[in-house]
């Protein structure tokens, strides 16, 4: 918890003066709440006992000034609170988003997307409302109010002071005991809801696969089960709330009756005046309110600690380029893997002592079954992950010694599933790069045969595509992805299973497009379709996380039994 407090204190830097101002407003408000009942007692005593009009008017004017001061103070305090709350929560969300988008892939691989969204959206708000403002600031002001009120009540009449202490303690103890179950039930419901949101996010993300594999029935059944659980828990929670509310009302009524009866005896015995009776009544209500708020904030503090831990754990994640490193400049595009081993976790190695060379401006094919580490080689080269052992050398430089930003500025990856953002075609091609001109875009579109497609759309390059706009075919989306890579014009380009879901005609066009890039780029073509790699300058075979052979297509047919067998099997399936 100490780490979380230090983190929150650090997070509040730049806002501390505002929080101290907020505390000042609250303490001033408590002082006014303390003074106003005292002045009210004098006001009533002037009417009942002294009947001094001049003094009454003077006290009434003072009370009115305090009331105006209280209202003004409350107004500015709430204005300050809203300004701080929105800015501070936004700062947490920005910090979290920065950490998530800049964190290393190793740290994010086991975190569910729904949990990340929940932490950004809800936990950031919970920190402010439950801990910073709710506990630290309000608890100080409420604690100050209780001490101040009880001190003056004890000085005026210790019997009333003891009575208020006894009744408030009894009422709050019973109330909080009853509310404890509600709090934990609320927590349980919230945790279940978080799991539900994570699951729902994954379902929506994979809805097409669910339909494809006839999983609608299973999804609907689980969705109904979640809803049934929520309804059951909500009913249980509301029933408990009703019981607790009525119990609190009944106990509060008994305490109030006891308070009024005892005060009546004290008035009869002339131990207190009628004016002080009203003052003590207000003080009794204020102490009840302050104490209830303090205990409630203790529970909320426990809730906020969970949110603070989740936020802090994300903000402690190491980011890429956490250390200052020099920038990598690639002039040619020669690549060397030297005894590279890698594992996503400690249970199983994906790659074991892999070594090979790729010469600049050549096209290299990497082939193997699923799970053999083909795509992992690409992610290691792009520095999304780092080898456990071994080195990756580009143009004679170990990329581990260079910034990931500069590495990725020199490498592009086109995956099997085209990445399409809800935005214009121009944005999808440029990804917000303002230095790319329309002339460059149209020249690229000519190369990947997108000119006619774009010209046929209502707004050309400014046509919205994706889920919120016009849909394109799979081949067109893939050409869009390749066009994005061409505009980047990086020395090294990796194509990872880019044709696996395309028809033969589109596949042939994509392969011809890739072939045309070889003169100016180092091309790595990852595929399980061997016939797409026959014209590569070199083919690398991966099996069991190891490189088992490499060479040209003709060399592999002559010398590698495994490659020859796979190639014949695939040709038989195609021809058959």
């Amino acid at each position: 918890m100490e780490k979380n407090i230090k983190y929150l204190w650090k997070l509040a830097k730049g806002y501390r003066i505002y929080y101290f101002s907020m505390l000042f407003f609250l303490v001033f408000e408590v002082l006014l709440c303390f003074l106003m009942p005292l002045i009210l007692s004098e006001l009533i005593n002037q009417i009942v006992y002294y009947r001094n009009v001049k003094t009454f008017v003077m006290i009434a004017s003072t009370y009115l000034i305090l009331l105006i001061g209280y209202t003004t103070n409350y107004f500015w305090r709430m204005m300050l609170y809203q300004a701080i709350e929105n800015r501070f929560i936004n700062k947490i969300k920005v910090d979290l988003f920065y950490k998530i988008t800049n964190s290393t892939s190793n740290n994010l691989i086991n975190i569910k997307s729904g949990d990340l969204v929940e932490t950004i959206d809800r936990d950031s708000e919970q920190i402010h409302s439950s801990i910073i403002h709710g506990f630290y600031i309000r608890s100080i002001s409420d604690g100050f109010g209780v001490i101040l009120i009880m001190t003056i009540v004890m000085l005026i009449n210790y019997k009333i002071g003891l009575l208020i202490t006894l009744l408030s303690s009894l009422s709050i103890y019973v109330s909080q005991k009853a509310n404890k179950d509600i709090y934990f039930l609320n927590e349980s419901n919230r945790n279940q809801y978080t799991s539900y949101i994570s699951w729902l996010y994954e379902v929506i993300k994979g809805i097409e696969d669910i339909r494809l594999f006839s999983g609608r029935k299973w999804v609907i059944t689980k969705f109904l089960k979640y809803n049934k659980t929520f309804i059951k828990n909500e009913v249980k929670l509301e029933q408990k709330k009703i019981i607790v509310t009525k119990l609190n009302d009944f106990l509060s009524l008994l305490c109030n009756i006891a308070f009024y009866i005892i005060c009546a005896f004290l008035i009869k015995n002339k131990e207190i005046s009628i004016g002080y009776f009203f003052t003590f009544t207000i003080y009794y209500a204020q102490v009840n309110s302050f104490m209830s708020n303090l205990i409630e904030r203790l529970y909320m503090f426990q809730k906020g600690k969970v949110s603070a831990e989740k936020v802090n754990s994300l903000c402690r994640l190491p980011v890429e380029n956490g250390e200052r490193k020099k920038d990598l400049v690639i002039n040619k595009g020669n690549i060397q893997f030297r005894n590279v081993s890698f594992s996503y976790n400690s249970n199983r190695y994906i790659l074991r002592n892999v070594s090979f060379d790729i010469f600049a401006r050549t096209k290299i094919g990497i082939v193997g079954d699923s799970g053999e580490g083909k795509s992992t080689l690409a992610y290691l080269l792009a520095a999304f992950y780092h080898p456990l052992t071994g080195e990756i050398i580009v143009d004679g430089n170990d990329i581990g010694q260079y910034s990931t930003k500069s590495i990725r500025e020199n490498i592009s990856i086109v995956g099997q599933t085209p990445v399409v953002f809800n935005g214009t075609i121009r944005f999808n091609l440029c990804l917000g790069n303002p230095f790319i001109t329309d002339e460059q875009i149209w020249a690229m579109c000519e190369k990947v045969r997108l000119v006619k497609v774009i010209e046929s759309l209502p707004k050309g390059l400014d046509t919205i595509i994706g889920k919120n706009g016009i849909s394109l075919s799979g081949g067109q989306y893939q050409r869009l992805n390749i066009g994005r890579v061409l505009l980047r014009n990086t020395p090294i380009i990796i194509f990872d299973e880019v044709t696996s879901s395309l028809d033969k005609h589109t596949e042939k066009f994509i392969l011809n497009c890739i072939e045309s890039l070889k003169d100016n780029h180092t091309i790595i073509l990852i595929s399980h379709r061997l016939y797409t790699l026959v014209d590569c300058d070199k083919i690398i075979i991966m099996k069991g996380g190891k490189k088992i052979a490499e060479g040209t297509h003709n060399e592999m047919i002559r010398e590698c039994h495994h490659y020859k067998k796979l190639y014949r099997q695939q040709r038989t399936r195609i021809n058959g």
Side-chain angles (χ1 to χ4, degrees), residues 452-565:
K452 289 183 179 179
V453 175
I454 295 173
E455 288 178 344
S456 67
L457 298 175
K459 295 182 180 179
L461 289 172
D462 296 314
T463 302
I464 301 292
I465 59 173
K467 290 187 177 180
N468 295 333
I470 292 175
S471 294
L472 303 178
S473 68
Q476 289 169 340
Y477 278 134
Q478 197 62 285
R479 279 184 274 167
L480 197 69
N481 260 14
I482 294 174
R484 183 187 299 156
V485 167
L486 293 182
L487 285 173
R488 290 194 73 209
N489 195 32
T490 56
I492 300 171
I493 304 176
I494 303 169
F495 295 92
D496 188 359
E497 301 282 8
V498 291
T499 64
S500 60
S501 58
L502 302 178
D503 60 79
K504 297 299 179 187
H505 176 74
T506 306
E507 180 183 57
K508 184 177 179 181
F509 168 75
I510 296 293
L511 291 174
N512 289 336
C513 185
I514 293 172
E515 179 66 23
S516 67
L517 301 175
K518 190 174 70 172
D519 293 338
N520 299 306
H521 307 271
T522 301
I523 305 296
I524 300 175
L525 186 57
I526 298 172
S527 179
H528 66 277
R529 295 178 176 179
L530 296 183
Y531 66 86
T532 64
L533 308 177
V534 293
D535 58 349
C536 287
D537 298 300
K538 182 165 66 175
I539 300 171
I540 297 170
I541 305 289
M542 297 294 297
K543 186 177 182 181
K546 298 180 179 180
K547 182 198 77 173
I548 62 170
E550 64 175 284
T552 64
H553 170 70
N554 292 331
E555 289 172 346
M556 300 289 272
I557 288 292
R558 289 195 308 266
E559 301 171 8
C560 182
H561 174 73
H562 180 70
Y563 180 87
K564 183 177 180 180
K565 180 181 176 181

Side-chain angles (χ1 to χ4, degrees), residues 414-431:
V414 182
Q416 175 181 351
T417 304
V419 178
V420 180
F421 299 94
N422 289 322
T424 63
I425 291 179
R426 187 193 308 277
F427 174 80
N428 272 274
L429 289 170
C430 303
L431 287 185

Side-chain angles (χ1 to χ4, degrees), residues 127-138:
I127 286 176
H128 186 268
S129 61
S130 297
I131 298 183
I132 295 179
H133 178 261
F135 184 76
Y136 288 118
I137 296 179
R138 290 306 299 262

Side-chain angles (χ1 to χ4, degrees), residues 122-153:
R122 297 185 65 177
D123 289 317
S124 55
E125 297 178 3
Q126 193 69 48
I127 286 176
H128 186 268
S129 61
S130 297
I131 298 183
I132 295 179
H133 178 261
F135 184 76
Y136 288 118
I137 296 179
R138 290 306 299 262
S139 293
I140 291 173
S141 62
D142 289 350
F144 173 70
V146 171
I147 293 170
L148 189 64
I149 289 172
M150 293 308 300
T151 300
I152 194 65
V153 170

